[in-house]
Amino acid sequence: MTFSALGLSAEIVRAVSERGYTEPTPIQAQAIPVILKGGDLMGGAQTGTGKTAGFTLPLLQRLMTKPVTGKAPIRALVLTPTRELAAQVEESVREYGKYLPLRSMMMFGGVNINPQIKQLHGRVDILVATPGRLLDHLQQKTVDLSRVEILVLDEADRMLDMGFIRDIKRVLAVLPKQRQNLLFSATFSDEIKSLADGLLTNPALIEVARRNQANELIEQRVYPVDRERKRALLTHLIKEHNWFQVLVFTRTKHGANNLAEYLNKDGITAMAIHGNKSQAARTRALAEFKSGKLQVLCATDIAARGIDISELPHVVNYELPNVAEDYVHRIGRTGRAGSEGEASSLVCIDEKKLLHDIERLIKREIPVVQVPGFEPDPRIKAEPILNGQNRGQGGHGQGRGQPRSGHSGQPRTGGAPRTGAGGGKPAGGHGAGRGAAPVLHRSGGRGR
Ligand code: AMP
């Protein structure tokens, strides 16, 4: 299968092959023809499947086959949950559309609104936006969405998790009734289904398997360790194996900050990336991480969600996620596009149940590696994880080289709630388009 066989124009195929893609991924092979025909689509696909090109390429082509005259209005609107994802999608639009006379713009909050207003005065064919800032523009009447022909909701489940449903509905209310709607979501919860019901007309339903299900390229390991010694073990692993480009997941923003600080003190360059950081700081952290200047990026689930770094060699679960599905999202950051990756989980006694849930979800036992000198102390008792961080990473744990003494007897802090408003997404909410599934094509992930 080639991109031109899918019906894409020479300009688009040229841009795609310059990007180095030889073959469409399964989601691309299925979604592109549907979108080109003008139908609505519900895509069950997470980041890493090639879904961005899956909707961007046909979207560009649709706009090209129906050119407008006069001042070009905004004709395509892509909504994304995070600024990073907005930036990445817009970059893809620009890249794949580089031989086409179309203009795109990204729009998100946390930055000055005035340059955006100025840009909106010029030509914008495709707008990639996060819902909050778009709503600001709508309220200020600085954006006109009355001629949008194609709407894309990217990572709709995350948008709902992050509490954007009302913002999305307000945006939908100002769009023309006649339009093409594309909704992408990694999970199909009831909430997503009801959003889709109100939005999509006779949608094709395309689902690709979660990447890890068949992805043998990700080597997963569990490192048992006491909660107070996780930092020391992480430093040990990074130094011992000379790991670079390590994406480390913590449960909370606070945990990400503290861990980054600790690693820096220990001579490992690290930065935290999460929603409390300014856009400039996030962009800088990401750029330095991509270039290899920054060895470790500490991230929460939400912050990491939009990061598109291909061939990321190491993902570390400093703490296991509360929701087993998030484990799958996390390790999906590694071993992308056919390259090998390692996903290491530092697991303390408190996390036994979380590990069990994960193993049940992925239907396999993760091999255990015991690092000598870091054997868990059998006298340490499990403590409940109180919807927040473990004490061991929360800034008041002891650092490297501490005696293996177990817990210090301090009361546990409640910590911050799970990152991302509304956090507690039920596990197992994804799957084969449960419930109404008009047309269901299935395929096995990237097939590579
Ligand atoms: P996405 O799921 O859109 O975030 O894409 C995941 C990664 O796969 C990105 O780094 C893309 O650049 C890459 N990618 C997308 N389509 C293809 C393709 N057809 N062949 C190889 N890599 C691709």
Side-chain angles (χ1 to χ4, degrees):
M1 174 70 78
T2 61
F3 282 98
S4 39
L6 292 174
L8 295 169
S9 70
E11 292 85 354
I12 294 176
V13 173
R14 189 169 152 212
V16 163
S17 44
E18 281 176 15
R19 179 84 197 245
Y21 307 162
T22 47
E23 244 190 287
T25 64
I27 185 91
Q28 291 162 3
Q30 293 170 55
I32 291 171
V34 170
I35 301 172
L36 284 179
K37 277 198 202 122
D40 281 5
L41 172 74
M42 169 114 165
Q46 65 181 92
T47 298
T49 51
K51 73 175 159 61
T52 314
F55 67 77
T56 307
L57 303 176
L59 181 150
L60 288 166
Q61 171 125 345
R62 298 249 327 141
L63 297 185
M64 279 316 293
T65 43
K66 247 177 55 189
V68 288
T69 46
K71 183 183 179 295
I74 295 171
R75 297 171 64 200
L77 172 65
V78 183
L79 290 181
T80 71
T82 63
R83 315 171 213 192
E84 280 81 12
L85 191 61
Q88 282 157 19
V89 170
E90 199 265 343
E91 193 189 332
S92 298
V93 170
R94 249 183 299 133
E95 172 103 23
Y96 304 139
K98 65 181 175 184
Y99 298 115
L100 303 173
L102 295 169
R103 291 268 176 87
S104 58
M105 170 179 173
M106 65 177 162
M107 174 192 283
F108 45 69
V111 295
N112 190 336
I113 199 165
N114 292 325
Q116 296 177 351
I117 295 175
K118 203 164 151 215
Q119 199 179 348
L120 287 164
H121 284 143
R123 175 174 178 156
V124 177
D125 301 272
I126 302 146
L127 176 63
V128 185
T130 53
R133 177 54 65 92
L134 179 60
L135 211 60
D136 293 343
H137 280 282
L138 281 172
Q139 274 153 4
Q140 296 188 29
K141 301 201 188 328
T142 45
V143 68
D144 177 8
L145 300 178
S146 66
R147 297 192 45 202
V148 166
E149 297 163 32
I150 307 174
L151 168 73
V152 183
L153 298 187
D154 194 12
E155 303 201 351
D157 49 349
R158 287 282 150 166
M159 286 200 273
L160 299 189
D161 280 356
M162 291 167 79
F164 282 139
I165 186 70
R166 286 168 64 113
D167 291 354
I168 292 172
K169 289 200 166 149
R170 284 194 206 135
V171 172
L172 294 181
V174 304
L175 299 180
K177 295 261 168 310
Q178 263 297 340
R179 55 169 204 267
Q180 183 174 19
N181 299 293
L182 315 172
L183 183 150
F184 289 88
S185 177
T187 58
F188 289 133
S189 63
D190 288 345
E191 215 184 349
I192 285 288
K193 277 189 257 163
S194 91
L195 176 68
D197 281 349
L199 184 72
L200 308 173
T201 314
N202 284 332
L205 214 135
I206 295 174
E207 194 188 30
V208 293
R210 304 177 79 73
R211 292 181 66 253
N212 81 312
Q213 283 179 345
N215 196 341
E216 299 300 334
L217 291 170
I218 301 176
E219 219 173 296
Q220 302 174 58
R221 294 198 186 100
V222 162
Y223 292 94
V225 62
D226 286 333
R227 73 178 83 81
E228 304 286 354
R229 302 204 70 216
K230 283 192 175 186
R231 297 171 178 201
L233 176 58
L234 181 61
T235 311
H236 171 85
L237 288 171
I238 292 173
K239 288 190 172 170
E240 172 95 358
H241 302 290
N242 202 17
W243 283 349
F244 265 82
Q245 286 197 316
V246 192
L247 179 60
V248 180
F249 284 95
T250 59
R251 268 189 217 115
T252 66
K253 299 174 193 178
H254 185 60
N257 278 335
N258 280 317
L259 186 60
E261 212 174 284
Y262 172 86
L263 292 171
N264 280 312
K265 281 195 194 127
D266 230 13
I268 295 168
T269 53
M271 259 172 146
I273 184 169
H274 54 65
N276 284 3
K277 295 261 167 177
S278 72
Q279 183 55 33
R282 292 210 259 177
T283 310
R284 197 180 60 238
L286 206 54
E288 290 187 1
F289 185 63
K290 279 188 182 185
S291 72
K293 215 164 111 188
L294 186 67
Q295 206 169 346
V296 177
L297 204 57
C298 302
T300 56
D301 289 283
I302 295 279
R305 177 72 178 172
I307 302 174
D308 174 23
I309 306 162
S310 51
E311 303 176 11
L312 190 58
H314 303 284
V315 165
V316 175
N317 293 303
Y318 186 73
E319 295 153 315
L320 290 180
N322 293 337
V323 176
E325 273 195 343
D326 284 346
Y327 175 85
V328 178
H329 285 300
R330 288 179 177 188
I331 73 165
R333 317 303 311 181
T334 181
R336 316 182 86 183
S339 66
E340 284 184 27
E342 259 176 29
S344 310
S345 301
L346 312 193
V347 180
C348 73
I349 190 153
D350 310 339
E351 297 170 304
K352 284 268 152 70
K353 179 172 180 313
L354 297 179
L355 179 61
H356 178 73
D357 292 347
I358 289 165
E359 292 185 327
R360 212 173 45 190
L361 179 74
I362 64 172
K363 298 194 179 67
R364 72 166 83 149
E365 269 181 40
I366 306 171
V368 174
V369 178
Q370 183 61 65
V371 179
F374 288 90
E375 294 84 356
D377 182 340
R379 290 167 302 177
I380 296 177
K381 300 269 179 297
E383 292 184 12
I385 297 165
L386 294 177
N387 198 26
Q389 67 215 36
N390 264 17
R391 196 178 51 237
Q393 56 91 49
H396 39 289
Q398 298 137 47
R400 188 187 152 96
Q402 75 205 45
R404 267 199 299 136
S405 59
H407 66 85
S408 58
Q410 292 166 0
R412 290 189 68 95
T413 51
R418 197 171 160 259
T419 317
K425 174 170 51 102
H430 70 283
R434 278 175 207 145
V439 194
L440 181 63
H441 314 266
R442 273 177 177 267
S443 82
R446 294 180 64 94
R448 53 181 68 231

